[in-house]
Amino acid sequence: MADIIIVGAGPAGLSAAIYARRANMDTVVYEGESYGGQIINTPEIENYPAIAKISGFEWATNLYNHATGLGAKVEFDRVTAIEGSAEELFTVKLESGMEDTAKAVILAVGASNRHLGIDREEELTGKGISYCATCDGAFYKGKTVAVSGGGNTAVEDAIYLAGLADKVYLIHRRNEFRAEETLVKAAREMPNIEFVTPYVVTELKGEPKLASVILTNREDGSTKELEISGLFVAIGQEPKTADFKDLVALSGGYIEAGEDCRTNVKGIFAAGDGRTKKVRQLTTACSDGAVAALAAIDFIKLG
Ligand code: NAP
């Protein structure tokens, strides 16, 4: 039995583990994929206070080493269900068939990449379609690629890919970008990035690999074809909360919890991108981890 079980080894979950361990709580983190969450795929982090520049991989690895160095156990097994209540213990069921129990649970489940939702997207994933520029960008050295999206991820990906590919199209459904102004300016200044707005990708062509995309103009409905070898989809995330929809209250798929990270169930807390919040940044995920862990510790000690 653990004092605190944390679901998810991303920035929020591992930050919570650091705070829980520093209060000497027996802490187990369960993770269904790899540690680090989405930030591990970010080429460069330039907005984490006191670290001017660091790769997502290095930052996430430092965080993992920090948490485990303090004694947090990280188990790579997916949590499939949670039962129990604050009055008894919480029982955490795992994909491996094992179970674990804890006095308090922190859901730091994060989010996964949103898909375009068009024909052949799954079939061509890994054959020209990617959701991770840092993972797959090197396959497109000297080629022509496109990025779909208008947020920080898409613009950062376009800049990163422009250093590898000959040409990068940045396809976005609006003329205005959600991404930070400085990033958009940096992308506009790169000679091999071409902005393609206001367009959405409506068709994927090529056999057996992606060879071109059909784009539809969102204002006049006209279409055009771009010949590309790779399409990087960076259109945001969906919270990974499906397994917990009968456990805690959700809102728009996100776990309902305020800045105190308390859910509607006593003893269960939510931290990071998977909870209802306005700002989903690395700093706010870490901050949530601290708040949720301290709230869980209070709950264990004071009830
Ligand atoms: P995001 O900010 O949610 O942006 C998603 C983008 O995809 C938006 O431009 C959106 O268009 C577009 N989009 C959504 N659904 C679409 C669809 N079906 N078809 C075409 N386009 C679609 O996602 P993100 O860029 O992954 O960023 C997620 C969070 O992480 C944000 O808070 C971001 O600031 C943060 N982040 C921060 C950094 C950093 O600080 N260095 C780096 C990466 C991410 P609209 O704009 O029209 O809605």
Side-chain angles (χ1 to χ4, degrees):
M1 184 192 77
D3 290 318
I4 302 178
I5 284 180
I6 298 167
V7 185
L14 291 176
S15 298
I18 289 171
Y19 275 75
R21 278 306 301 148
R22 284 171 56 82
N24 215 21
M25 293 282 143
D26 192 328
T27 306
V28 184
V29 184
Y30 286 103
E31 169 58 61
E33 295 167 33
S34 63
Y35 70 83
Q38 297 187 72
I39 202 70
I40 204 159
N41 295 326
T42 296
E44 264 166 3
I45 302 167
E46 293 184 348
N47 57 2
Y48 192 82
I51 303 177
K53 195 183 265 208
I54 189 168
S55 76
F57 179 79
E58 189 182 357
W59 186 89
T61 303
N62 288 346
L63 179 65
Y64 176 84
N65 290 337
H66 189 172
T68 52
L70 286 170
K73 291 185 210 97
V74 180
E75 302 286 351
F76 292 95
D77 201 347
R78 195 172 73 85
V79 174
T80 53
I82 298 174
E83 292 168 0
S85 68
E87 287 67 42
E88 352 153 356
L89 287 174
F90 292 102
T91 301
V92 170
K93 304 208 167 194
L94 299 159
E95 199 166 51
S96 62
M98 307 276 278
E99 286 186 2
D100 200 355
T101 52
K103 296 173 190 162
V105 172
I106 297 173
L107 299 172
V109 293
S112 56
N113 295 316
R114 182 176 290 140
H115 288 203
L116 290 165
I118 57 176
D119 275 358
R120 302 192 63 211
E121 188 174 1
E122 313 303 322
E123 175 202 333
L124 291 170
T125 297
K127 295 176 189 158
I129 294 188
S130 168
Y131 299 85
C132 176
T134 36
C135 316
D136 300 329
F139 298 126
Y140 298 91
K141 267 190 194 137
K143 299 195 170 158
T144 298
V145 299
V147 176
S148 171
N152 280 339
T153 305
V155 181
E156 279 185 357
D157 284 357
I159 292 170
Y160 174 73
L161 290 165
L164 295 165
D166 260 8
K167 165 109 191 167
V168 180
Y169 294 106
L170 179 55
I171 304 160
H172 178 39
R173 64 185 178 184
R174 293 186 295 129
N175 294 318
E176 303 74 36
F177 278 75
R178 189 178 290 273
E180 286 168 22
E181 193 53 46
T182 46
L183 277 175
V184 178
K185 188 166 174 284
R188 285 199 194 279
E189 282 167 5
M190 299 203 62
N192 60 341
I193 297 182
E194 184 178 330
F195 283 56
V196 187
T197 66
Y199 282 93
V200 283
V201 181
T202 44
E203 201 182 327
L204 304 167
K205 293 172 80 172
E207 198 64 58
K209 289 198 224 159
L210 182 74
S212 69
V213 288
I214 304 289
L215 307 182
T216 302
N217 187 304
R218 295 252 295 169
E219 282 168 7
D220 61 18
S222 62
T223 60
K224 65 176 174 183
E225 185 164 2
L226 290 183
E227 285 187 13
I228 53 169
S229 317
L231 173 65
F232 290 85
V233 180
I235 59 168
Q237 288 83 35
E238 306 275 4
K240 294 199 270 186
T241 53
D243 292 327
F244 309 109
K245 64 182 191 320
D246 298 324
L247 177 73
V248 288
L250 302 184
S251 173
Y254 292 91
I255 301 164
E256 261 183 32
E259 292 302 311
D260 61 3
C261 295
R262 286 172 199 275
T263 69
N264 66 318
V265 178
K266 207 173 163 196
I268 300 185
F269 305 85
D273 284 4
R275 82 163 172 94
T276 48
K277 52 156 62 183
K278 205 167 173 186
V279 181
R280 292 192 172 83
Q281 292 280 306
L282 185 54
T283 45
T284 60
C286 297
S287 152
D288 270 14
V291 172
L294 294 173
I297 294 161
D298 264 5
F299 164 75
I300 289 169
K301 288 187 174 164
L302 309 171

